Amino acid sequence: MTHRQSLLTIALTAMAASASQAETPAYLNPDAPLETRVEDALSRMTLEEKVALCHAQSKFSSPGVARLGIPELWMSDGPHGVRAEINWNDWGYSNWTNDSITAFPALTALAATWNPDLAALYGKSVGEEARYREKDILLGPGVNIYRTPLNGRNFEYMGEDPYLAGEMAVPYIKELQKNGVAACVKHFALNNQETWRGSIDVDLSDRALYEIYLPAFKKAVEEGGAWSIMGAYNQFGGQHCCHNSRLLNDILRGEWGFDGAVVTDWGGAHDTKEAALNGLDIEMGSYTNGLTSESNFGYDDYYLARPYLEMIKSGEVPESTVDEKARNILRLIFRTAMNTEKPFGSKCTPEHYAAAKLIGDESVVLLKNSGILPLDGSKYGSILVVGDNAVRRLTDGGGSSELKVQDYVSPLAALQTLWGDKVKFAQGYMAGRPMYEHEEVIPEAVQDSLRAEAVAMAKDADLVIFFGGLNKNAWQDCESTDRREYDLPFGQNRLIEDLIAANPNIVIANITGNAYAMPWADKVPAILHASYLGTMGGATMADVLSGAVNPSGKLPYSIPFRIEDNAAHSFGEASYPGIETVDADGRKHQKQTYSEDILVGYRWHDTKKIPARYAFGHGLSYTTFVLGKPSASSKELNADGTLSVSIPVTNTGTRTGAEVVQLYISELKPSLMRPEKELKSFEKVYLAPGETKTVTFTIDPSMLAFFDADAHAWKTQPGRFRAIIANTSAGKKSPSVDFTLK
Ligand code: BGC
């Protein structure tokens, strides 16, 4: 029996005895309707007890109502595994010996699989680990849109396309929550950079908000049924997102009917009255930033603690506000901590390792291959592995998503297992320890000598495999800081060029949560692009290199040639990272405008005819696929009808593989600005050599709609449209069919 279950039993027994009544109170009856339980519990609570529900009691928990046997809520990061235990009152790790877990691939890897079944497997597996660790809320998944490759947290999100992100988030959430563990979808909304994340005020059109930045959240709420959502640090419309009237009252609750709890990002609350009135339920992480400040600011000083109680008592805000919050929180508690149906959970099982491996396997993107891949190890007398990411534990660092793994397979270890001691290693460059908001400066002389050593060894090797990319250091793929440059860090470009000169038989196998410049791309025979793959990452990389796994990942974001080719960066500082001003009182303000509007990612590259080096949706295989001739069920679509488009897909190569068939829709002569085309559906098909399968997409008018800001509604207009069926967003001669919307 868990601690919480025993609490429940004690409370039950005590209540039954004191009331000397046989009947169980409705709120303790798991068979009673949820709203009946909520109202019954609420009716028994004092004002103080209701307010207490609304703020943290420790770094990662919020109180229940002990008197009534209502347990506290325990939360954990998220989103790639269950984070190690954190101290009650500061950010230090508690150093438990039983909290190491499975690290699953980063969400950007999940998105690169384009396989919603794997998103379900991910949610199920991470949910079981969360349950085992007795967590009620897992802080994830993140569905913020990839707007710039410099965002330090892109690896925690699911790429640049709202449809893809939403399709992947929904199964993750549903399966996670079957464990009685709430998803906490983050960061709502417009948290698309880490620079000035706590204060930047984002300005954008309603159309961009509704077409690009909200749809994945909406799907997570409406289709995924997320039980909680995390407010973002930044501001929107001059108000912090954690108590933003428009985002939380109007959109989340008003338009989407969200009945779960809104949790702040840690330290994201700034004002009691706004928090009281604008839809926030649970305040976490304010003030207690470690031992230095906690003596000054206890949990009772939180905006939604004593100051809130006083405001209610003085009548400044109505008591109904706390009733509403308590309802949302009780609902969350009944769904999680008091969920009597929930399973026990498990961690680091063979099934979880297999799930992590499978997700990783399907996520690796083969950007380029002249035929050198897959590698036949027996062909090479000596293989040199170069690069820090071949040995670095990439689950360390990165901020709140950092994980304490029980096991970790590095690429070097996996390749040595595969091919033995003919695999040699040279570090090539030093990246320093992963630290939060700090970086270790490596003397140039050290980098020079590591590079010289690797280049010398490359000359003697039959094959070089380079494992570089980004890592989880500050100013790389790490929370709180954006990247400083689009180039690879730590002198990797120079190193790669020198390695190519020393030995052109080189395969680039980079691991990264972001796009980066590849000035050497034309000079290397093959490039693999992987995201952070967690516990089993090295095994995946070895299997993809050797061909045991045929790559089938597709880019969930564009890789521009230059940073200036990215939409957000095309409009200068006012667009990214924003402009800072100082007011008469010396206070600093930062503001940015999303001038690219709805043209994010491939929508920009396509519409503005600025090709990306590797396009959204691109990814090769060791086999080849041919998309045949599409056929449509009709040439016309009625406003209330549907139309289907079918296309045969054939594996024309010699290996079993998978292709992601992508449906983009384009309006041929739009009366208003529209992206050249937009992703509206996709399906991953698995084919044996010579096999053909037919993929059928159903098109309905909602796929042709745009958001009309004046009418505040989605609208369609009669017109001509093109359904493009492709295996990359950059397909020049992709099959297509035209049709009319009547
Ligand atoms: C991050 C959140 C995270 C929270 C708790 C914040 O700094 O932005 O994503 O869940 O900390 O660790």
Side-chain angles (χ1 to χ4, degrees), residues 33 38 45 48 57 72 120 216 232 267 335 338 350 355 401 490 553 706 731:
V38 167
M45 287 164 62
E48 284 73 11
Q57 60 170 7
E72 52 210 9
R335 285 168 165 160
M338 288 178 84
S401 64
F490 320 120
F706 60 90

Side-chain angles (χ1 to χ4, degrees), residues 60 77 83 153 186-187 197 230 233 265 400 479:
F60 279 92
D77 286 303
R83 193 180 184 183
R153 284 189 98 169
K186 62 196 190 182
H187 306 89
R197 67 173 175 171
M230 184 187 291
Y233 278 135
D265 199 340
S400 58
E479 187 179 331

Side-chain angles (χ1 to χ4, degrees), residues 487-523:
D487 275 331
L488 284 176
F490 320 120
Q492 289 179 75
N493 280 345
R494 162 116 194 250
L495 171 60
I496 293 172
E497 295 283 0
D498 288 0
L499 288 169
I500 297 168
N503 189 337
N505 217 18
I506 181 170
V507 172
I508 306 292
N510 278 348
I511 302 175
T512 163
N514 256 317
Y516 55 84
M518 302 181 186
W520 31 260
D522 293 339
K523 297 185 209 158

Side-chain angles (χ1 to χ4, degrees), residues 58-69:
S58 77
K59 268 269 158 269
F60 279 92
S61 71
S62 62
V65 191
R67 180 179 67 84
L68 298 177

